[in-house]
Amino acid sequence: MTGKKYVYLFEEGRADMRDLLGGKGAGLAEMTNLGLPVPPGFTITTEACREYNARNREFPPGLEQQVQEALQTLEKKTGKVFGDKKNPLLVSVRSGAAISMPGMMDTVLNLGLNDETVEALAAATGDRRFALDCYRRFIQMFSDIVLGIENSRFEEILERYKKQKGIQYDYQLDVETLQKIIDDYKKVVKEVTGEDFPQDPKVQLNRAIRAVFDSWNNPRAVVYRKAHQIPDDLGTAVNVQMMVFGNMGEDSGTGVAFTRNPATGEKVLYGEYLMNAQGEDVVAGIRTPHPISKMKEDLPETYKEFERVCSLLEKHYRDMQDVEFTIERGKLYMLQTRTAKRTASAAVKVAVDMVKEGLITKEEAITRVEPTQLTQLLHRRIDPSAKLEVIAKGLPASPGAASGAVVFDADEAERRGKSGEKVILVRPETTPDDIHGIFAAQGVLTSRGGMTSHAAVVARGIGKPCVCGCEALRIDLENKSFTVEGIVVKEGDLISIDGSTGQVILGAVPLIEPEFSEDFRLILEWADEVRKLGVRANADTPQDAQRARSFGAEGIGLCRTEHMFMAQDRLPIVQEMILAETPEERRQALDKLLPMQQGDFYEILKVMDGLPVTIRLLDPPLHEFLPNTEELALEITTMRLTSGDPTEISRKEAILKKARALAEFNPMLGHRGCRLGITTPEIYRMQVEAIVGAVVQLLKEGYHPKPEIMIPVVMDARELEILRELCLEVIREFEQKSGFQLDIPVGTMIELPRACLTADEIAKVADFFSFGTNDLTQTTFGFSRDDAEGKFIPQYLEKKILKENPFAVLDRDGVGKLVKMAVELGRSSNPNLKLGICGEHGGEPHSIEFCHLAGLDYVSCSPFRIPVARLAAAQAAVRHR
Amino acid sequence: MTGKKYVYLFEEGRADMRDLLGGKGAGLAEMTNLGLPVPPGFTITTEACREYNARNREFPPGLEQQVQEALQTLEKKTGKVFGDKKNPLLVSVRSGAAISMPGMMDTVLNLGLNDETVEALAAATGDRRFALDCYRRFIQMFSDIVLGIENSRFEEILERYKKQKGIQYDYQLDVETLQKIIDDYKKVVKEVTGEDFPQDPKVQLNRAIRAVFDSWNNPRAVVYRKAHQIPDDLGTAVNVQMMVFGNMGEDSGTGVAFTRNPATGEKVLYGEYLMNAQGEDVVAGIRTPHPISKMKEDLPETYKEFERVCSLLEKHYRDMQDVEFTIERGKLYMLQTRTAKRTASAAVKVAVDMVKEGLITKEEAITRVEPTQLTQLLHRRIDPSAKLEVIAKGLPASPGAASGAVVFDADEAERRGKSGEKVILVRPETTPDDIHGIFAAQGVLTSRGGMTSHAAVVARGIGKPCVCGCEALRIDLENKSFTVEGIVVKEGDLISIDGSTGQVILGAVPLIEPEFSEDFRLILEWADEVRKLGVRANADTPQDAQRARSFGAEGIGLCRTEHMFMAQDRLPIVQEMILAETPEERRQALDKLLPMQQGDFYEILKVMDGLPVTIRLLDPPLHEFLPNTEELALEITTMRLTSGDPTEISRKEAILKKARALAEFNPMLGHRGCRLGITTPEIYRMQVEAIVGAVVQLLKEGYHPKPEIMIPVVMDARELEILRELCLEVIREFEQKSGFQLDIPVGTMIELPRACLTADEIAKVADFFSFGTNDLTQTTFGFSRDDAEGKFIPQYLEKKILKENPFAVLDRDGVGKLVKMAVELGRSSNPNLKLGICGEHGGEPHSIEFCHLAGLDYVSCSPFRIPVARLAAAQAAVRHR
């Protein structure tokens, strides 16, 4: 062998060689070395794929030679010979990246068949029908994947013959018909490519390897990687493996299974298989398969062996596995094992159970649950007291309930979804081409396919409700409707689905909020034991605060007060305050707002009794409380031209004048936050009076309110110094009036680069910093979220200028640098400084990891993200011990 | 003596104790020690004033005691006794801060006079009229300054008696009248304060010292300090000095003088004096004084002595001095010396002359000219070929010419000036209360007062044209007009003034640009020898480029291309390009723009032949080239309601739709700069083609074009990488087509915090960085210039949250930190990186000093600022050698 090693026999690999061999290759290697029944084969490395891409779709030198050598070893091991007319070796050629991308890339089965070897196969197996079926499948698959011929060309032929013969399933086709089909298939190939179907198995293999390499960059794989944040430069491995046949009759079959229930986590073998079929029949969901438990009856010996293998794999990998297998004439072959994907509740239950079984430690358990997945557990379910008009029942493929308008294709789902409409995507089955529709829909309903069908896997992955294999549905794509039990449901009609029970319900139904399972509570309790970061919530209402507290929030990190100003009954008073001509008029309006604000704070502080509540004083510029100038100007012009009421016109003109005076070119960078506090101190004073008034009221009632006053948009210590003094003045006044000693910290949002750069000065007059990473991201990048997300960020992600949307995932290179600087400078001048984050990043695991590393004291996020944050904080603590 | 030393006898001080003793005190001390004729006295330190303010207007302990002791020493030295009925000591009490604030703070003369000592003074001098005149002045001054009684109350009385007696000048008042005036004055004091005028000299002194301390914080002093960027916490010293009398008859007098001409720098004694007068008579400009040269005839001996003193002072201080003196019965007394303020051209000439005279070195000469003052030399003058209707001639008090509408009060001047109107402020004389009007006006014209009157001093200080003492003018403030030679000029009428000749001209006149004097060229040449920073210009047109080159620009640091898009003949094509529905349509529009752009670049590169020209590709968001949506919407609504042309309506609607689609919430943070380059590469490609096309054209013609392509608004290296590749592609294409080898650097504006934070990555794909500190300031502070400067920055300056407007003076604490970081990171990964600045800070001396310290290669500023930048860069180099 010369140069780099690109090809590994299965026995040369190991589980930890996943990056090089891909997940499938590493699994096959590990199973081979464990002595499990794996058909022999070899893996071409991901590195070979990378070099192939780097060389502009040229095989790297040495690769072909190494494949030949591995093939010879395979021939020796199996006693079969590639292309042999007596005992031909047939292989599968499968993709397998380091990170699983189910169904995204290509596979070719039965490779090695040609007009001669098919006869040998017929002779060797004594089953001509089987051999022809394999050849028929091979031509179809190879043509689709390698030659790029539309699969529908072949499906049409197949359907035509099935109709002719009046049969339903492929395996019912007889020898003569199969031979005709093969002939017709070959004609299609000749017609489309201008060449005969390739007969040389080595040519077949070479081209199949190229096709698998190429499939790394097919559009659906690219979309999938973007959605799952998988780097584009990993490449895929290629697994070449001796074929075993699940389509050799009624003692043969193929299936996929989980070592535990991937929806619930229950410890029971879970999966499906099809007798007399090849692998793609199961995954494609064309025939509805049997549950794995039925194998126990059909093939009890094989089932026992399968149980043994699964148990061994779980112990070996110390995690739940997702396996593929084929039974050839009663003998079990393992074709894949990998860590199983699972719903959030399954992940939680499996992790907790495995701790109880002694398989893993508590800390390992914490790392076994993907934090963002947890929000699934917070999904709605159907109110049990509701009267439901259940019209069908399918497989409960992804938990949670949803209601929406029925749509029948993915593009329409995306269109309506984007415009804010709630839709349920209804399909006979889904394919990778439907992904964008699934993302846009509230839930998915299919009439075919099982728990491991495409729709089910994808929906579980993104936490959307899904009901699969609901065969009672008769879907008419042409007329955009489905019929079930005589009921016709048309596009746009409302239905509901319950992905936990499989129910399909007519109309929208009342949904209720979820509760935590005991396992859920337990794993979060373990997370709380190890995490270093506190977790608070962003909440502006008593309801939000209550929910946050029930999810385990240890306080409120951001209570915005502008929404209180926006309330319908208050906006007129707020406008009165803004339009005031004199300080007295302004004070009068503020006096009306004061008791309302005090009421707001009273309720929130009461709900959060004993826990800190960080209240941010008014943040937006005042013009946000006035009507849009363009609309108002149009209204006035229209009124004038249509002889409207002159007093009304002049009233509106006054408002327009003020709105114009306050209008800003760049409101984000305008007269807002503490700048308002400096120039119009009456507003902040009123707010502080409301806070402190509420505190005194609660103290009198025996509560323990713990507010913290937060000044927004600070860029210089002096701003904070002035406004802190204003706060302390009010606090002192109330102390004297009430006799209570009030300990109310005053701190600031750190949300501007200059605040980070001068954090040492600011920290001298701050009790706490809370990083407002939304605004800090905007100013650091110099683009506003409103303007960037819809316009150029998508292109920036596509062109890889941005790895992530920085408003979703905290940018460590820029924003993170500033945060770290602020933490260091701040602590250097004020060792008691409390540090938190209250941007939306506070609920995003990557960003939470950053916060842990930066040494913050807490993160604050939306109430539904609290469990995510608790778990992510714990994982960060475990990872960076 | 116990505790701190607050009081210094003149002989105890030195010139370098200016911070402690104030400018006046340090000057008096130095002159005393030089043996010059200075009336004895002592100085109360600025520290005492600071403590007085810190103690809430309480004298610090020990101060009164020390004043008493110093007073006793003074009594011993003079043989006079404070409050003595035979030989009373009279003193002046004058303010004197470390940094001169002419006329801003208070002075009390003749202190020590009362009903008894006035008689003693009469007896001792044998001049009762004189003594009463002193007493009258003292009561008036003390009442005004110390007791806070409106001066007009006293002026009315004085005027009444002068009228009664039919006399014009104060010194014509006789003894009886003076006695009556004194009695009336005392009545006013009693009436207003309820108490008698204080008779105890010690009480007088104590209260006068307090009043001087307090005058540090009077409103006009505060305004002055803000305008001149003088810190508020320095405090003033107080000088208590034996009185000498310029009002002792016709061999007495008082005056102020410069050791050279402060307007031209000519080496000749220059100044004015009044016979038989006290100091305030000269400064107030009430009587028009004699030029100093007249003293030669009137008092030849005294003049000789004065010449000797002035020459000695200049040699001692090695700089031009501004002195105050009094002549008491023929004997010269020096009351003040300080470094003289001067016009820019005087500063230049004096500096160059002093080098020639061997007094100072070239490097010292460089530091003797205030860089911002240089722009004065670039002020306009009247076209000599113009036919002028000269209606009067006054004193040429501050050089330069100006035209504008006549206004008669400072408030009106400010009002009109703010609204953008050009005005000339016309006043009988100006007082410190008029400062805001002088700032707002194009120039100042007064009918009274000399070259050292308030108007003249202030106007010279800020480089505005001023004509003083134009006595032919009869100003009628009541009716807002002036009359001269029968011509009536009313408020709002246009006039012109020439501050270099003293001419007053009817109507607006043609003004022309200035040329450099030889001295000016020389000092800039010396500056060029020592400066480390290169100086380039921001210029977008061949005219600007030409001017910049003539001012000594070494290249263009910022050539903006958007103005080229805004040109009237191009805007429709630009709009066509924006409204294009397909890339082809867009390309068609761009094809029309290409030759125009190429022409722009051709001209500029030709003017700048051999020098680098940094061309910034398109920066603003595209909607800036479309009409305002609000106006357009109003127009459409109006057209609809008034049955307008339907095709025109729908055309406008299409534009509105596009404008709305492109509209942004925060254009500053929007889809602009390189973001456009990434998403619509056709535009940048066209621009690069235009640049490279122009280069090839010029090369063929034998020129040496040196363009540099600058990509704006970069926040990540990847953006620049992509666009750099686009540029290089075009360059390579042209290289192949033309056969020329093209060396065109590609670099980026650094104008976002993230660019600074990731400058090491960016520098890897950049040939140069140019700091765009305007935008960097906006994003670092998080406020946009448009929204902040009009709204809260003024209040921020007032409340001292900001020391300076950060858009004028680079903020070292925030923005500066980022710049330094970017310089270090950038050079660390690319040692050949060229570094410049092209924000407006590039022409501001403080900011230029920062650039020098940060190690930039060049600054770039507007053409008129080039000389400022050359000099400021040299001063920075000298200062930080």
Side-chain angles (χ1 to χ4, degrees), chain B residues 284-289 392-395 397 408 424-430 444-451 453 455-456 466-477 481-484 497 502 504:
Chain B
I286 292 164
R287 273 157 62 196
T288 303
K393 201 163 174 210
L395 301 172
F408 291 97
I424 306 287
L425 179 63
V426 180
R427 295 284 303 164
E429 71 214 274
T430 65
V444 185
L445 168 62
T446 68
S447 58
R448 284 188 289 191
M451 294 292 287
S453 67
C466 176
V467 173
C468 276
C470 187
E471 303 208 5
L473 257 51
R474 271 180 300 138
I475 299 177
D476 181 349
L477 292 178
S481 68
F482 70 77
T483 315
V484 60
I497 58 171
V504 180

Side-chain angles (χ1 to χ4, degrees), chain B residues 162-292:
Chain B
K162 275 156 79 179
K163 218 167 177 183
Q164 222 174 63
K165 294 277 162 180
I167 57 177
Q168 190 183 356
Y169 295 113
D170 301 356
Y171 62 78
Q172 296 166 322
L173 290 165
D174 59 22
V175 167
E176 291 71 36
T177 315
L178 279 167
Q179 189 59 61
K180 279 187 200 151
I181 289 172
I182 289 168
D183 292 343
D184 284 3
Y185 275 16
K186 285 191 191 158
K187 277 181 210 143
V188 168
V189 172
K190 177 84 185 185
E191 181 201 321
V192 175
T193 66
E195 282 171 32
D196 286 327
F197 184 81
Q199 292 288 319
D200 180 348
K202 287 193 178 153
V203 170
Q204 290 172 358
L205 179 60
N206 244 321
R207 296 188 66 176
I209 292 169
R210 293 179 64 96
V212 173
F213 279 165
D214 289 340
S215 70
W216 176 255
N217 286 319
N218 74 35
R220 64 172 194 266
V222 172
V223 168
Y224 185 93
R225 286 199 294 272
K226 206 161 76 178
H228 290 76
Q229 305 177 351
I230 299 170
D232 274 330
D233 56 2
L234 298 179
T236 182
V238 182
N239 298 288
V240 179
Q241 187 175 23
M242 185 188 80
M243 280 299 297
V244 289
F245 296 98
N247 54 342
M248 269 196 172
E250 288 307 314
D251 58 351
S252 299
T254 187
V256 296
F258 295 85
T259 54
R260 304 189 184 210
N261 184 321
T264 64
E266 201 191 346
K267 196 181 174 187
V268 60
L269 284 184
Y270 186 90
E272 298 152 329
Y273 73 112
L274 273 175
M275 298 311 287
N276 201 12
Q278 279 200 343
E280 75 272 26
D281 300 332
V282 185
V283 178
I286 292 164
R287 273 157 62 196
T288 303
H290 303 303
I292 208 84

Side-chain angles (χ1 to χ4, degrees), chain B residues 414-430:
Chain B
E414 193 182 37
R415 202 154 36 241
R416 293 195 185 211
K418 273 195 176 159
S419 77
E421 193 178 349
K422 290 187 170 155
V423 299
I424 306 287
L425 179 63
V426 180
R427 295 284 303 164
E429 71 214 274
T430 65

Side-chain angles (χ1 to χ4, degrees), chain B residues 91 271 318 345 448 455 641 643-644 718 843 857:
Chain B
V91 297
R318 305 170 66 239
S345 53
R448 284 188 289 191
L641 289 166
S643 314
R718 181 84 186 117
D857 295 308

